[in-house]
Amino acid sequence: QPIVLVTGGVHGTEPAGMLAASEIYKQWVPRKGHLVVIPVINVCGARKHSRYLKCSKETATSSQSMPDKNSQGQNSNDPVQVDDLNRDFPPNEMPKSDFANDIWDLVSLIRPNVFLDLHEGWGFYVQLKDNPHNRLVGNTRFSKGSSVIAAPNALKVAEAMVDEVNKGVKDEKHKFLLSTPPVEEGLAMHLYQSFGTISMVQETTVKGQPLELRASQHLIMTSKALKELGFLSKKFRPATLSKTVAESFLKMNKIAQHPHHPMNNAKTEHPKRHHDNKKIPVADDLVSSLVV
């Protein structure tokens, strides 16, 4: 039967994907096939607010201070490179780190037909896409926030995702855009190139937007993808998350929130709802995060 893999928390500074993936883990049941969810891959980074895997003094630093020199925004001689899980899967090579190898062993067993990787950017791609840039990570003039970045075989589905999430975005300067392809050394492209997986990277935007809104946008995009591909009923409607749920998620899972993130700086009209706030399984034990 077909398999969908959903991941959150590849970067520990991007909690919206973690929150959305935990909601999917606890609440969603596919109408066909299997749904596999890893809500928080980079647990160490999430708890210390680090983009990177190793939470040493050197690596638990803002990504804006990291040197990046090649086309994907990384210096090939920089030891930090192996700490960025989304740069650990070079094409036609083995993963660069031991942890990435463990991830690849797992996904190679699963061989998902569909992969959705939930991320965040600092700014809005629609506003910044034309700015000159030679790197992505740590660039103060460029961000792919508010976009769906699709592998070549996922463009039609990604377009539907963008259309769906934009129904709830009133400000034209905050609209989502379609982009392609995903970063060359990320898991999404590695899965696409290895198994032909329909791969998409979802990016919400931190700037000026509360966590519960960003996580809800992830749920809208993910559900649209799974409806388009027949894994969910067309009548399925994802939950709208509340500020209370977002705060509880961060606290119960010991996930650090950057002091400049706008969780308490933006108003939202999302209604509150009852929610099961049990602690979610994270990647301390990857197998415990599987939903079949």
Side-chain angles (χ1 to χ4, degrees):
Q1 295 191 51
I3 296 174
V4 177
L5 173 61
V6 177
T7 57
V10 167
H11 295 137
T13 52
E14 301 171 8
M18 307 177 207
L19 174 54
S22 72
E23 173 74 14
I24 295 166
Y25 173 84
K26 292 186 289 185
Q27 304 289 350
W28 293 16
V29 179
R31 63 185 299 188
K32 72 172 185 180
H34 302 286
L35 178 59
V36 179
V37 184
I38 307 176
V40 185
I41 292 183
N42 184 3
V43 179
C44 179
R47 290 177 177 168
K48 295 193 176 182
H49 195 76
S50 171
R51 174 186 177 90
Y52 302 97
L53 287 171
K54 296 180 181 179
C55 292
S56 65
K57 181 178 179 181
E58 289 76 18
T59 58
T61 317
S62 169
S63 62
Q64 292 189 1
S65 66
M66 297 298 173
D68 304 290
K69 294 184 179 179
N70 69 15
S71 61
Q72 300 301 337
Q74 292 290 338
N75 182 340
S76 59
N77 296 317
D78 189 341
V80 167
Q81 184 179 12
V82 298
D83 295 325
D84 189 333
L85 188 57
N86 208 38
R87 302 296 187 275
D88 267 1
F89 300 93
N92 304 313
E93 296 181 26
M94 293 299 294
K96 293 180 179 179
S97 68
D98 290 341
F99 188 74
N101 267 302
D102 291 341
I103 295 289
W104 187 247
D105 286 345
L106 176 62
V107 298
S108 295
L109 289 173
I110 297 170
R111 292 207 174 193
N113 303 88
V114 180
F115 176 52
L116 293 154
D117 194 15
L118 280 50
H119 284 258
E120 299 201 76
W122 67 264
F124 296 94
Y125 182 49
V126 68
Q127 300 177 29
L128 303 169
K129 61 185 177 67
D130 295 326
N131 286 354
H133 63 281
N134 60 1
R135 60 191 174 98
L136 181 56
V137 179
N139 193 326
T140 59
R141 300 189 63 208
F142 185 80
S143 173
K144 282 201 169 182
S146 294
S147 69
V148 178
I149 311 170
N153 63 349
L155 292 172
K156 183 176 180 181
V157 175
E159 184 176 3
M161 296 163 66
V162 168
D163 289 343
E164 185 69 17
V165 72
N166 276 338
K167 291 177 181 178
V169 180
K170 296 180 181 179
D171 191 333
E172 291 294 325
K173 294 182 179 180
H174 293 177
K175 292 285 188 180
F176 283 72
L177 294 180
L178 173 62
S179 178
T180 191
V183 64
E184 186 178 40
E185 295 181 321
L187 183 56
M189 277 301 286
H190 209 64
L191 280 169
Y192 164 71
Q193 292 168 342
S194 299
F195 306 130
T197 301
I198 298 171
S199 298
M200 290 157 284
V201 178
Q202 301 174 192
E203 296 270 2
T204 53
T205 298
V206 171
K207 186 177 181 180
Q209 301 192 121
L211 175 57
E212 63 272 18
L213 171 62
R214 288 139 45 204
S216 295
Q217 289 176 331
H218 272 306
L219 294 178
I220 291 169
M221 291 185 285
T222 304
S223 64
K224 183 61 176 178
L226 299 191
K227 285 189 282 187
E228 289 292 307
L229 294 167
F231 286 90
L232 292 175
S233 166
K234 294 290 186 181
K235 296 181 180 180
F236 179 83
R237 294 291 181 270
T240 298
L241 303 181
S242 69
K243 181 178 179 179
T244 301
V245 167
E247 291 175 335
S248 178
F249 168 79
L250 294 175
K251 181 178 179 180
M252 295 188 71
N253 290 285
K254 300 179 181 179
I255 295 173
Q257 182 76 359
H258 193 281
H260 298 302
H261 277 199
M263 183 163 174
N264 297 314
N265 297 332
K267 295 182 179 180
T268 175
E269 298 179 355
H270 297 330
K272 294 182 179 180
R273 72 180 191 89
H274 295 293
H275 198 281
D276 178 8
N277 282 317
K278 294 179 181 178
K279 185 175 180 179
I280 64 166
V282 291
D284 296 289
D285 178 0
L286 290 176
V287 176
S288 74
S289 294
L290 301 185
V291 180
V292 179

